[in-house]
Amino acid sequence: MIFSAKKHPHHSHQRHWVIWLTLLLGLIVDRINWPSDWALIIPNLTPLILFYWVIAIAQRNFVVTATVIGIAHDVLFHSNLGAYALIYLLLIYPLLHMRLQLRNTTLFQMSLIVGFWMLIHQGLIWLINLGKSPNGHELTFWLSALTATLLWPLLFISLRSLRKAMHVH
Amino acid sequence: MLSIAKINHLSARDHWQLLAAFICALTLLIVDEQTQLMGQLRSILTTLVQPIEQIARIPELIINQHNQAINDQANLQHEVNRLRNQVLLLSYEKQQAAKLEQENERLKMLLGVSSQLNKGKLVVSLVVDHAPNPFKQILNLNKGSHDGVSVGMPVMDAHGMMGRIITTSYTESSLMLITDTDAQIPVTIRRTGDRGILQGNGNNDTLNLKFLPSSAQVRAGDLLETSGIDGHYPAGLAVAQITDVQAQAGAIFWKITAQPLAKLNTSREVLIIFPDQPKTNDNTTLPISNNAPVTSTDDQSIKIPSQEAP
């Protein structure tokens, strides 16, 4: 079990702005025009960060968060308004239903789940673009699910440390 | 301790929220896809998320500045910028001259062609970056609604047509390249005057020419220019060169591939074509005559006055 369900005694300060801040950072990192060689090893961070918070914070349903971040993503990346909001809503729905099971998995198991989840994420992006080819980035596009799997432990540990340090619950 | 039920259970309120958000997102998506109603909303949202874009550009700026430091003589850079701007305008005039020459040779009048561009003004803009979206071919420019740029304005570089503006924020605008899968430009073959539709296919260096009847005389090397019949692009601007022509068995149209003339991946300075008097707040811009030397306001912005067609 990699999550602690212990309720923090100082729950009066929920500090949910930390969640927004991390998602904002995710958007910034995703928006950076990385050199093409690096693009392969940098998957989309925003959905991964959203994944973490949905699992970690049981008291929130993250519907508004997913919608707002999705629309911001649409504007930043010039996709049709609502496209990413729809994708994020579709993606968090199963997470909301399986939070407990996911919280009880090992880090390795969760990495694999994250990889599969990101594969669905990429599939939804592909579908919403009406099956167009991600020009020149076909391999990178689908492989980012794998790199997300590899990156997950590091991201998970970082976000958990932040959550504990900032008493976000 | 949190109970299992508390963690996994989605309340009726949660379900309603999810459903409402889902419907909103889907409606937004359909309206944005099928109509032009979201232009204003997108413009406002783009302005709101501008700080995110600007922060995200910092690493690229640092790398660029580091590269530029090699040639850090300020005067030299200033001179280079001024000359680049001059080259752009001269190239534009050269294209116009070539068009007129072809017109004379063919003894054809392309209706309203000559006057359209000459009524307008040009603003030089810098390419800030590209949108990292593998499904789109979009560049961000450093001129926005504050500078009078509006959706639909065509953009070209020194070599040819690049595309048109699809979104504007207060200080920036987004240019959809002609290679984007959503881009379609009505064109004519400069040599023969045959009309077709040039369509992007998502590749950086190829375009497809559609709806050109197999009876039309066409060959590799022919130049394609905007026909202007859609009202978005002024007529007579060079767009692409045909690279391959194939007959399709039983088809009534040629299968034609073309290559964009504009340097879509490398051009840093581009020209935004204002179809009419620009709504600009830049009072410092000095009008110049057709034969007067090029005047630059900030080394990146040049405007030329109305010119009468010869």
Side-chain angles (χ1 to χ4, degrees):
Chain A
M1 183 169 172
I2 52 176
F3 277 93
S4 164
K6 197 184 288 180
K7 208 171 183 179
H8 197 276
H10 305 292
H11 56 276
S12 56
H13 301 291
Q14 296 197 333
R15 299 185 178 179
H16 285 164
W17 59 265
V18 177
I19 298 173
W20 286 101
L21 189 68
T22 53
L23 288 165
L24 195 65
L25 280 172
L27 279 175
I28 290 170
V29 174
D30 286 347
R31 181 59 185 78
I32 293 173
N33 281 314
W34 298 103
S36 52
D37 298 343
W38 296 17
L40 186 66
I41 56 168
I42 304 169
N44 287 334
L45 281 186
T46 315
L48 293 177
I49 295 169
L50 187 64
F51 183 103
Y52 174 83
W53 289 118
V54 171
I55 303 300
I57 309 295
Q59 291 84 356
R60 290 184 60 173
N61 64 22
F62 286 92
V63 172
V64 175
T65 314
T67 310
V68 171
I69 292 296
I71 290 174
H73 197 289
D74 289 329
V75 177
L76 282 169
F77 291 81
H78 296 280
S79 39
N80 287 322
L81 284 180
Y84 267 81
L86 202 61
I87 288 172
Y88 287 160
L89 286 168
L90 286 170
L91 284 169
I92 65 163
Y93 186 71
L95 296 186
L96 291 171
H97 272 290
M98 296 187 293
R99 278 198 251 213
L100 179 65
Q101 289 89 331
L102 291 169
R103 286 161 69 104
N104 282 308
T105 55
T106 64
L107 193 53
F108 176 72
Q109 287 170 330
M110 191 177 277
S111 296
L112 294 178
I113 293 165
V114 164
F116 180 67
W117 188 77
M118 283 300 282
L119 203 59
I120 298 170
H121 171 264
Q122 297 301 92
L124 287 172
I125 294 171
W126 184 75
L127 273 178
I128 218 126
N129 282 284
L130 305 171
K132 286 178 197 168
S133 170
N135 171 46
H137 299 81
E138 285 85 356
L139 189 65
T140 312
F141 181 76
W142 294 107
L143 269 184
S144 64
L146 178 67
T147 52
T149 309
L150 300 174
L151 182 74
W152 177 253
L154 180 66
L155 186 70
F156 174 83
I157 292 165
S158 307
L159 286 171
R160 186 174 61 176
S161 305
L162 179 73
R163 182 174 64 88
K164 287 184 172 174
M166 301 301 292
H167 304 303
V168 185
H169 53 88
Chain B
M1 289 283 286
L2 293 172
S3 68
I4 293 171
K6 172 72 178 170
I7 295 169
N8 259 355
H9 178 67
L10 277 178
S11 67
R13 186 168 161 271
D14 291 336
H15 275 113
W16 277 114
Q17 270 193 17
L18 264 167
L19 186 65
F22 188 83
I23 291 169
C24 284
L26 195 62
T27 309
L28 206 58
L29 181 63
I30 293 167
V31 173
D32 195 31
E33 173 76 31
Q34 302 294 329
T35 72
Q36 305 292 323
L37 296 173
M38 290 295 162
Q40 192 64 29
L41 176 65
R42 186 179 275 275
S43 179
I44 294 166
L45 292 174
T46 307
T47 306
L48 284 175
V49 299
Q50 202 105 63
I52 297 177
E53 288 195 317
Q54 280 163 356
I55 295 170
R57 279 180 199 140
I58 291 173
E60 206 176 352
L61 281 175
I62 291 169
I63 293 168
N64 288 342
Q65 278 177 1
H66 174 72
N67 294 338
Q68 214 170 22
I70 299 164
N71 302 317
D72 60 351
Q73 296 176 31
N75 290 337
L76 185 63
Q77 190 63 46
H78 183 83
E79 184 67 8
V80 167
N81 286 339
R82 196 181 66 81
L83 290 172
R84 274 181 183 165
N85 291 341
Q86 271 192 336
V87 167
L88 269 176
L89 284 172
L90 289 172
S91 301
Y92 161 72
E93 285 176 6
K94 187 183 166 190
Q95 280 188 33
Q96 286 293 91
K99 181 184 79 65
L100 291 171
E101 190 183 336
Q102 289 289 337
E103 278 178 341
N104 290 335
E105 283 175 5
R106 294 200 308 263
L107 296 174
K108 275 188 173 181
M109 282 295 289
L110 297 175
L111 293 174
V113 168
S114 309
S115 56
Q116 277 191 38
L117 246 187
N118 293 330
K119 281 180 189 169
K121 293 186 178 181
L122 305 175
V123 170
V124 178
S125 177
L126 275 183
V127 175
V128 182
D129 69 348
H130 70 271
N133 182 340
F135 296 96
K136 301 276 183 183
Q137 306 272 320
I138 290 172
L139 299 178
N140 292 316
L141 310 179
N142 72 339
K143 301 285 179 191
S145 55
H146 176 67
D147 306 285
V149 178
S150 62
V151 172
M153 286 182 173
V155 179
M156 59 182 294
D157 72 356
H159 309 279
M161 182 57 64
M162 293 186 78
R164 66 190 183 103
I165 302 292
I166 53 161
T167 320
T168 58
S169 65
Y170 190 64
T171 55
E172 292 185 1
S173 52
S174 300
L175 158 68
M176 181 172 74
L177 296 175
I178 53 175
T179 48
D180 192 286
T181 48
D182 292 331
Q184 292 186 333
I185 309 178
V187 291
T188 58
I189 298 174
R190 186 173 277 178
R191 185 174 58 84
T192 63
D194 288 309
R195 288 198 173 94
I197 302 286
L198 201 57
Q199 207 170 43
N201 56 21
N203 291 319
N204 288 329
D205 52 0
T206 60
L207 298 160
N208 300 327
L209 181 59
K210 304 273 187 184
F211 311 119
L212 194 72
S214 49
S215 58
Q217 291 187 347
V218 58
R219 61 186 182 218
D222 276 346
L223 280 177
L224 301 171
E225 62 183 25
T226 49
S227 69
I229 57 173
D230 63 343
H232 291 305
Y233 294 93
L237 294 174
V239 185
Q241 186 167 31
I242 291 175
T243 52
D244 186 41
V245 181
Q246 287 179 22
Q248 301 180 99
I252 55 170
F253 299 115
W254 289 107
K255 186 182 177 190
I256 299 174
T257 310
Q259 187 176 31
L261 293 173
K263 309 291 181 194
L264 301 176
N265 294 324
T266 53
S267 284
R268 282 198 71 229
E269 292 89 2
V270 299
L271 291 167
I272 302 174
I273 302 170
F274 282 61
D276 208 335
Q277 292 298 315
K279 297 166 189 171
T280 176
N281 298 329
D282 187 0
N283 297 325
T284 60
T285 305
L286 296 174
I288 55 172
S289 69
N290 196 20
N291 298 320
V294 174
T295 306
S296 173
T297 54
D298 58 357
D299 291 333
Q300 311 302 343
S301 171
I302 298 174
K303 295 176 184 177
I304 62 171
S306 302
Q307 298 167 18
E308 292 303 318

